[in-house]
Amino acid sequence: MDSSDKGLSLPREDSSTKHYTVDLSQVTDKESLHEQLVQSLPLPEYYGRNLDALYDCLRDAHETWNITFTGCAHAEAVLAGYFLAFKETLEDVQEASDSVHSKFE
């Protein structure tokens, strides 16, 4: 998978852009996916560890975030349809907000 997949890509950046890498190579289920997100991103304590909550938290981000997800082939193999829903959630965030940009590797 690459950044051209479904139009997800990182934009040009400025000095205030925050960069995050989320390694999905050890994900075993949707709970471990959300745990990795909590460990890798500055999500609020109230983050509900589901895709709706992820959408809400990322859409409301007040800083510009460039997030690179690595280990995606593994995560897709393990999570199947949930991984596709996860990617769709990130696409929806990018359409709703100029603050969060994603890249899948």
Side-chain angles (χ1 to χ4, degrees), residues 1 6 8 22-24 27 30 33-38 41 43 47 50-52 54-55 58 67-72 75-76 79-94 102-105:
M1 288 181 269
K6 293 200 174 200
L8 297 178
V22 181
D23 180 5
L24 304 179
V27 167
K30 63 183 178 180
L33 168 67
H34 290 285
E35 181 59 31
Q36 188 61 33
L37 294 172
V38 167
L41 302 172
L43 296 171
Y47 171 58
N50 62 64
L51 296 179
D52 289 335
L54 180 63
Y55 175 85
L58 294 180
I67 308 170
T68 300
F69 295 95
T70 61
C72 293
E76 185 172 17
L79 299 173
Y82 194 80
F83 184 77
L84 297 177
F86 170 70
K87 284 183 70 176
E88 287 177 12
T89 299
L90 273 290
E91 290 172 19
D92 292 346
V93 168
Q94 283 190 192
S102 310
K103 178 180 169 184
F104 292 83
E105 297 180 345

Side-chain angles (χ1 to χ4, degrees), residues 54-69:
L54 180 63
Y55 175 85
D56 291 342
C57 290
L58 294 180
R59 182 201 61 214
D60 296 339
H62 298 289
E63 299 174 309
T64 300
W65 292 5
N66 285 349
I67 308 170
T68 300
F69 295 95

